[in-house]
Amino acid sequence: MTQFALAAVLGLLFALGTFLVLRRDIVRVVWGVTIISQSANVYLVTMGGLSGSVPILSHGAHGEVGAVTDPLVQALVLTAIVIGFGTTAFALVLTYRVHQEHGTIDLFELERGGDT
Amino acid sequence: MEPAHLVIAPLLTALVTAILTLATRNYLNVQRAVSALGGLGYLVGVGVLYQAIQADADGVIVYQLSDWGAPFGITLVADALAVFMLGLAALVSLAALAYSVRFISDYGQRVSYHPLYHLMMVGVTGSFLTGDIFNLFVWFEVMLMSSYVLVAFYSGKEHTRAALTYVVLNLLGSAVMLLAIGGLYATTGTLNMADMAQRLADPAAFGIDPAPVLGLSAILFTVFALKAGIAPFQFWVPPAYRAAPAPVAAMLAGVVKKVGVYAIIRLYFTIFAAATLPAGLSLPGLSGTSFLDFFGPVLFIMATASILLGGFGAVGRKTVDGMLAYSSIGQVGFILLPLAVAATVPEVRTLGIAAALIYSLNHGFAKALLFLASGIIERMTGTLEFANLGGLTERAPVLSGGFFLGALALIGIPPLSGFFGKLLVFDTAARAGADAALAVALVGAILTIAYFSRAWNRGFWGEPVEILERPSTTLTVAVVALALGVVVLGIGFDPVMEAANAAANAALDRAGYIDAVAPEVVA
């Protein structure tokens, strides 16, 4: 059941992210990229398999020992989240800088002001 | 010291230099000296690593982080292929670094230039050395994060706009890469490259279905194509290269692009080549049963598109840097073309990979040289538009000579390194009997001649333009050094060819790679 719920949520998140990336407003584009990379993280967790209990075996040992969730994907997602923070922060700062330089964050107007 | 520790020598050199340049930022001359010494140290580190690999019986040195054995720990692998690419990175980056010291404004250098430059080198080095696909993602991010800032470095109007496209595209690429890696982990049960190759060679024993692996490896391929600027993912290249400062453009075209090429060679010729296609799969143009037989036609189409798009695009450009950026797209096609032939025809596989490597080396040197020269031209005349340029041969003969040599190297005139690059590309295509590849390479070669002679006619001959400022000799020296490099690589070609052959053999020696990493099999 959880799989179906997660699959539906993943689909929705990707759809929302794609929708936002295609907007004219740069801030929305950055939001879209952030949502897409977050849904990639959720997908990563899903790919690790959902069954099992907490990945720490010895301490406390609630639930079934032996059937544990794959701890590796959680480590991967942590890394990916940290990288995501950094890149999102940079993208937002860059958006601010674009606004300073061009006086607009509308991608159509940016394109019109271009010389290429 | 154990030889295994040498693997991290270049990585640590670049990282320590980045930190030291940040610490000494208030002392301009100290910072520059530290930065230049760091660049030299990096070259020495790569040299020592090369020696160690030559001395090693298997030619592969493995460093298991914290002594956690593969596949549980993080593995760094230095073999002939990785060291070949590291050597290219070390030489080009040293020239670009010496150039930057005079080219970038004092303020710019003090704020962030040197730490970013060396952090980018950390990312490049890590990508070449890693033996783990998730860490490949991490190193890519390290490299890209610095390159985003370097593209936006001047932060003027067109710079911020170009950086925005570059950042958004690469962030999407990273998300796609994460998806592919997650999927590969779920289907193969490992992230370690050697372990993955081992499992893919015997999919039934590990319960792996090859069909999803094929799809996921194709998704991953798009990401590498995006990083390498191969058509149809080439559109971000011209604005980003034009916006970046000249030495950064030289690094992006000469070194960072090659990381994508390296990843394609390493993953598709070493790792995924172990697998066989799912039975009953019928696609147009598919003849064999190896994954490479599927990627061969794909590579060929992309290489053809890159060569034509880049070539015709470069012929029509109005500015020097625009032409160089489009030329860069076309030249990556030339690197891809022998790989496509090598993937399809197993008999010429070693030769094809060696050709791609030699061409990468030649393009790294020559294109870096041309971008550095274009930076000087802009300093001197205040413009890079062909319409406003002319008579540079009279005003700056040494610089013009350097530019001419770089152009000749890309065209492929003996005895420059480019001659052997082109020769090997043609040789690979001819030996494989790939007439189509030969035809594409010929068209590409003619286009290269066309756009460089056009640039030469319009920029270097004719009525001399007014010179606003004489740039310092250090800048010209960096260009001359790279021009000498192109000549030396061509004249003393034997050792280069040996190194490229060793690298190609290392790329194809799957058993040796797996043995050296020695991943424990956990079913």
Side-chain angles (χ1 to χ4, degrees), chain B residues 225 228-232 234 237 257-258 261 264 296 298-311 325-341 352 355-356 359-360 363 367 410 421-422 425-426 437 440-442 444-445 448 451:
Chain B
I230 302 163
Q234 85 297 344
V237 171
K257 231 175 197 204
K258 305 303 180 307
V261 173
I264 290 173
V298 176
L299 279 166
F300 179 70
I301 293 169
M302 290 170 100
T304 310
S306 297
I307 288 177
L308 297 181
L309 237 157
Y326 271 93
S327 146
S328 190
I329 298 169
Q331 301 296 323
V332 159
F334 266 109
I335 298 172
L336 220 54
L337 197 65
L339 287 182
V341 177
Y359 209 95
S360 300
H363 178 246
K367 192 48 69 63
L410 283 184
K422 277 256 168 36
V425 172
F426 284 125
V440 170
L442 271 175
T448 317
Y451 60 73

Side-chain angles (χ1 to χ4, degrees), chain B residues 93-376:
Chain B
S93 82
L94 191 59
L97 192 62
Y99 182 95
S100 311
V101 169
R102 284 273 166 251
F103 187 80
I104 305 289
S105 67
D106 284 357
Y107 177 72
Q109 292 194 47
R110 189 159 56 91
V111 173
S112 56
Y113 186 81
H114 291 289
L116 284 170
Y117 188 96
H118 289 286
L119 278 176
M120 187 165 81
M121 285 309 290
V122 172
V124 168
T125 317
S127 313
F128 287 150
L129 288 175
T130 186
D132 173 306
I133 50 170
F134 188 77
N135 272 280
L136 188 64
F137 163 77
V138 176
W139 290 120
F140 264 51
E141 289 303 308
V142 170
M143 175 180 85
L144 288 170
M145 196 69 195
S146 327
S147 71
Y148 298 153
V149 190
L150 288 171
V151 167
F153 196 74
Y154 288 143
S155 63
K157 269 196 165 190
E158 65 267 49
H159 310 109
T160 49
R161 205 183 53 195
L164 188 76
T165 326
Y166 182 63
V167 169
V168 169
L169 258 175
N170 275 303
L171 289 186
L172 286 175
S174 302
V176 172
M177 188 172 180
L178 214 50
L179 289 181
I181 290 172
L184 282 171
Y185 178 61
T187 39
T188 63
T190 185
L191 288 167
N192 188 287
M193 290 183 193
D195 195 21
M196 194 175 278
Q198 189 174 314
R199 283 164 184 245
L200 286 175
D202 189 9
F206 297 95
I208 298 171
D209 181 6
V213 177
L214 178 66
L216 290 163
S217 64
I219 294 177
L220 199 57
F221 184 78
T222 60
V223 179
F224 298 142
L226 175 73
K227 314 279 170 196
I230 302 163
F233 305 103
Q234 85 297 344
F235 43 85
W236 61 270
V237 171
Y241 284 18
R242 287 186 61 188
V248 174
M251 282 297 287
L252 288 180
V255 176
V256 173
K257 231 175 197 204
K258 305 303 180 307
V259 176
V261 173
Y262 166 81
I264 290 173
I265 296 179
R266 172 65 85 210
L267 284 179
Y268 294 87
F269 284 85
T270 316
I271 314 300
F272 294 128
T276 43
L277 289 172
L281 188 74
S282 68
L283 290 166
L286 190 70
S287 50
T289 53
S290 159
F291 267 31
L292 281 175
D293 294 312
F294 168 78
F295 281 105
V298 176
L299 279 166
F300 179 70
I301 293 169
M302 290 170 100
T304 310
S306 297
I307 288 177
L308 297 181
L309 237 157
F312 283 113
V315 171
R317 280 315 98 183
K318 291 195 184 74
T319 59
V320 179
D321 50 353
M323 182 204 79
L324 292 178
Y326 271 93
S327 146
S328 190
I329 298 169
Q331 301 296 323
V332 159
F334 266 109
I335 298 172
L336 220 54
L337 197 65
L339 287 182
V341 177
T344 323
V345 186
E347 290 77 40
V348 296
R349 210 157 268 177
T350 321
L351 181 69
I353 296 176
L357 290 173
I358 297 277
Y359 209 95
S360 300
L361 187 70
N362 170 51
H363 178 246
F365 270 77
K367 192 48 69 63
L369 185 170
L370 293 171
F371 267 115
L372 295 185
S374 81
I376 301 181

